[in-house]
Amino acid sequence: MKKNQVALYTVAIFYSILTLIPYVWSIYTSLKPTSEVFHMWTPLSKLSFSSYRYILGNFPFGRWLLNSMIVAVIVTIGNLIVNTLAGYAFARFKFPLRGVLFYVFLATMMIPGQVLLVPIYMLLANLGWINTYQGLTIPFLMSPFMIFLARQFFLGLPKELEEAAEVDGLGKWGTFFKIFLPLSRPLMATQVIFTFQGNWNAFLWPVLLTTGQHMYTLPVGLNSFYGQYNAYWNSVLAGVIMLTLPMILIFLIFQKQFVKGISTTGIK
Amino acid sequence: MGNRHKFFQRNTFDQAMAGYLFLLPALVALAVFLIGPIFYAFYISFFQFSFLDPGNAKFVGFSNYLHLFRDPEFLRALWNTSLYSICVVPIQTALALFLALIVNNIRGKTFFRVAYYLPTVTSTVAVSVIFIFIFEPAGILNQLLLHFGIHGPNYFNSPTFALPAIMAMAVWSSVGQFMIIYLAGLQDISEEIYEAAKLDGAKGWRLLWYITVPLLRRTTFLNIVMSMIGTFQVFDQVYVISGGTGGPLNATLSVVLDLFNKGFKTMQMGYASAMAFILFVIILLLTLIQNYFLGREE
């Protein structure tokens, strides 16, 4: 039994080292002077934040960070409103065509997003929305999968809630805002986490929909920066850390919700 | 009695109105950014069509679809993507199960869960750039290999090693997500089943093989399908690593990268749409196969 446990710990620790080393190595390299980038061991005394200062001072990394923030926040708030309302409607109201409409939403989940690349690009081009914030946000404010999750969540709440609301003389909106919304924090947390993460890390759509450097989101900016300055690994990796660190911090703070979310989304 | 009836009628109408009102934003988004574009994409997949020259759109029937299967570039992309999926999916799933079984039986579950899940919350662009650095000819990996007397290749510039290196990266970056789903599945197995099996004299490996693994079948199918769908849509990594070309010598060209380049570099938008629907059919088939297996189980 004891021997067994030692073996298990050894494997688990070995794999966590394998997972963490690329991060540690990236941070370490981003702090090195250019001449030391390919040296295994650089003394700590030679490390500094100069690469970070360099990329923030000479390249639009600050602007890209801001763009990423703006886009991710708008898309997350929009999704939260649109998906929660729709999920609530499907779960707690009866109306004609309810089943049909729900299946239409479900059916669209089967379609890979790449089918939309050409038509959405053309739509946005015709609107003059390529390379704008509205182009990067408005087409992405709804998620059928999140509507599905919201519906599941609201279906799980007892019928007595509506009856209690009626006794209190609450209308349809009052019932939703005063009774159901305060109860749906776990649902909100799951939605916020996954929508924000997806948007913060998104690459395919932003690389298609941004044409000017000043509109790049961080992943697009990092890719173009790497393409031009791939000899300066310390600066490139400083950019990598800038893109990675915010998401990791959010994850560490909300890791319980992340794990819960991934477990509930996993069990469809 | 009549009053009551009126009240219910009213209530039904109110509910319907409220339902549609709550649903309205989602319905608008569905129509404008999902259903409309899907039908439009299907429509133009039967045309020779460039966005730069919409006046010259030409109806070509199924020829976009037929041409795809004679297009060496697309066939190469399909081959690469299938190979990538066939290699990544089983390794990823097996490793995720293996790690979940280990982590489930030791203390410090939270630490390992967090550590293994970190790559999942990391941007694929960031992961790609980190691995380009690790796989540099003079990078850390080859320096380590030199200690064992092995001269490592120039991974991402070699037609032989580029795709396998991307596969390794894919396993590294998403195994944690599947491990967490497995852990949730393990939590759902009741102790009683184990107790019963132990009474029958099952121990250790036998317990694992005859009880745990079969009970996790649902989770396994789910993971395999999610992993398949994900791998067939691979784009970010190959775009960043090859600078958008799918090189060296198309060794890393994926279906979505080919679609992207055909649609927006050479502006063959009808052709790109046809490719997108082929991708849709592939993913649909994979999903149906999964449903068939899951359906059989119940």
Side-chain angles (χ1 to χ4, degrees):
Chain A
M1 193 67 212
K2 267 272 186 290
K3 230 190 249 170
N4 239 340
Q5 285 285 315
V6 171
L8 294 184
Y9 276 108
T10 310
V11 176
I13 289 165
F14 172 76
Y15 195 79
S16 44
I17 291 171
L18 210 61
T19 307
L20 296 175
I21 273 204
Y23 293 96
V24 174
W25 206 248
S26 302
I27 294 170
Y28 186 42
T29 308
S30 73
L31 299 170
K32 291 178 182 187
T34 311
S35 59
E36 291 275 344
V37 160
F38 283 116
H39 293 186
M40 233 11 178
W41 305 117
T42 303
L44 292 177
S45 59
K46 282 194 178 172
L47 301 184
S48 74
F49 283 101
S50 62
S51 291
Y52 291 84
R53 274 196 296 276
Y54 175 70
I55 63 167
L56 280 167
N58 299 286
F59 298 94
F61 269 90
R63 167 83 198 209
W64 297 339
L65 187 70
L66 183 75
N67 289 344
S68 273
M69 268 292 165
I70 292 171
V71 171
V73 167
I74 292 176
V75 171
T76 304
I77 292 173
N79 267 282
L80 207 51
I81 297 167
V82 174
N83 302 334
T84 308
L85 287 177
Y88 183 80
F90 280 128
R92 313 298 292 198
F93 292 132
K94 282 200 176 70
F95 49 89
L97 296 181
R98 183 176 69 167
V100 176
L101 285 171
F102 184 61
Y103 277 112
V104 172
F105 276 99
L106 281 192
T108 57
M109 272 165 52
M110 289 281 190
I111 307 270
Q114 291 82 8
V115 169
L116 301 168
L117 284 171
V118 168
I120 295 272
Y121 179 88
M122 289 171 57
L123 178 67
L124 295 180
N126 287 330
L127 290 167
W129 283 6
I130 302 290
N131 214 35
T132 62
Y133 287 121
Q134 56 274 33
L136 285 167
T137 52
I138 290 177
F140 310 104
L141 297 181
M142 186 271 289
S143 151
F145 180 60
M146 289 295 163
I147 291 176
F148 172 77
L149 276 191
R151 175 179 169 270
Q152 290 295 87
F153 179 86
F154 287 122
L155 279 176
L157 296 176
K159 235 187 144 20
E160 285 76 26
L161 290 170
E162 270 105 350
E163 288 159 20
E166 206 153 332
V167 171
D168 290 346
L170 290 170
K172 297 275 185 286
W173 288 97
T175 308
F176 174 70
F177 278 108
K178 289 211 171 75
I179 298 199
F180 282 87
L181 213 50
L183 289 173
S184 61
R185 285 183 54 175
L187 167 74
M188 297 293 167
T190 303
Q191 283 197 78
V192 166
I193 281 165
F194 287 107
T195 314
F196 190 87
Q197 182 197 326
N199 268 276
W200 184 263
N201 294 336
F203 181 65
L204 175 56
W205 283 103
V207 83
L208 175 66
L209 300 180
T210 53
T211 48
Q213 232 194 17
H214 68 287
M215 281 309 295
Y216 286 175
T217 57
L218 256 182
V220 182
L222 178 65
N223 176 58
S224 88
F225 180 78
Y226 158 76
Q228 288 167 287
Y229 298 92
N230 51 25
Y232 299 93
W233 274 110
N234 47 357
S235 298
V236 170
L237 289 163
V240 165
I241 301 303
M242 259 183 76
L243 165 58
T244 307
L245 208 56
M247 206 58 236
I248 287 193
L249 288 177
I250 292 171
F251 168 57
L252 291 178
I253 296 165
F254 299 106
Q255 63 98 6
K256 270 207 178 67
Q257 281 89 341
F258 265 88
V259 170
K260 253 203 210 100
I262 208 58
S263 308
T264 49
T265 51
I267 304 160
K268 279 188 208 171
Chain B
M1 213 52 198
N3 259 348
R4 225 185 120 125
H5 183 69
K6 226 184 226 155
F7 167 77
F8 273 118
Q9 250 188 347
R10 215 203 112 138
N11 198 5
T12 314
F13 178 76
D14 271 0
Q15 257 204 52
M17 284 319 288
Y20 288 130
L21 206 61
F22 275 59
L23 206 54
L24 188 66
L27 280 178
V28 172
L30 179 82
V32 178
F33 296 112
L34 222 50
I35 306 275
I38 288 167
F39 279 102
Y40 185 75
F42 191 62
Y43 171 77
I44 64 164
S45 74
F46 296 98
F47 283 81
Q48 202 176 7
F49 175 82
S50 161
F51 178 66
L52 298 176
D53 192 9
N56 265 339
K58 199 165 106 225
F59 180 77
V60 291
F62 279 98
S63 95
N64 280 334
Y65 289 90
L66 296 172
H67 190 257
L68 273 171
F69 292 98
R70 292 196 303 271
D71 175 350
E73 235 172 12
F74 173 72
L75 290 175
R76 182 65 205 262
L78 195 58
W79 167 252
N80 287 342
T81 310
S82 308
L83 199 64
Y84 172 84
S85 187
I86 287 165
C87 293
V88 169
V89 173
I91 294 174
Q92 206 173 54
T93 311
L95 187 59
L97 176 60
F98 176 71
L99 291 171
L101 288 168
I102 287 176
V103 169
N104 202 40
N105 286 309
I106 56 179
R107 292 218 180 115
K109 209 181 278 188
T110 307
F111 167 77
F112 291 115
R113 234 177 6 200
V114 167
Y116 297 168
Y117 195 71
L118 274 188
T120 306
V121 300
T122 307
S123 136
T124 39
V125 176
V127 170
S128 305
V129 173
I130 291 172
F131 274 81
I132 294 170
F133 180 60
I134 288 172
F135 284 129
E136 278 270 305
I140 178 176
L141 181 63
N142 279 353
Q143 287 191 38
L144 286 174
L145 288 176
L146 267 184
H147 283 292
F148 301 100
I150 302 165
H151 286 272
N154 182 347
Y155 299 89
F156 289 132
N157 290 316
S158 135
T160 319
F161 285 98
L163 194 62
I166 293 174
M167 291 174 188
M169 196 175 99
V171 172
W172 177 88
S173 61
S174 41
V175 88
Q177 182 186 344
F178 297 112
M179 185 203 77
I180 287 188
I181 298 172
Y182 265 130
L183 275 176
L186 281 168
Q187 240 99 80
D188 286 344
I189 299 176
S190 75
E191 277 300 313
E192 286 162 19
I193 296 176
Y194 284 121
E195 298 302 327
K198 277 179 192 152
L199 283 179
D200 291 341
K203 276 208 281 291
W205 288 110
R206 291 179 62 88
L207 207 59
L208 191 69
W209 191 247
Y210 290 106
I211 307 290
T212 314
V213 173
L215 283 173
L216 286 173
R217 212 159 43 178
R218 251 195 91 87
T219 315
T220 301
F221 274 121
L222 179 83
N223 278 348
I224 285 176
V225 167
M226 280 179 28
S227 180
M228 270 187 184
I229 292 174
T231 48
F232 261 90
Q233 299 183 24
V234 62
F235 170 82
D236 301 9
Q237 299 88 325
V238 291
Y239 186 95
V240 173
I241 285 164
S242 70
T245 62
L249 302 174
N250 286 341
T252 60
L253 188 70
S254 77
V255 172
V256 178
L257 180 55
D258 195 28
L259 188 163
F260 190 87
N261 289 339
K262 297 258 164 69
F264 304 102
K265 277 214 176 96
T266 53
M267 291 287 175
Q268 301 160 275
M269 298 209 161
Y271 193 52
S273 293
M275 208 186 295
F277 278 98
I278 296 288
L279 180 69
F280 163 59
V281 169
I282 292 170
I283 289 175
L284 187 69
L285 284 175
L286 294 173
T287 314
L288 288 176
I289 291 168
Q290 167 235 5
N291 281 347
Y292 170 75
F293 277 116
L294 277 182
R296 259 207 333 193
E297 224 178 304
E298 275 129 35

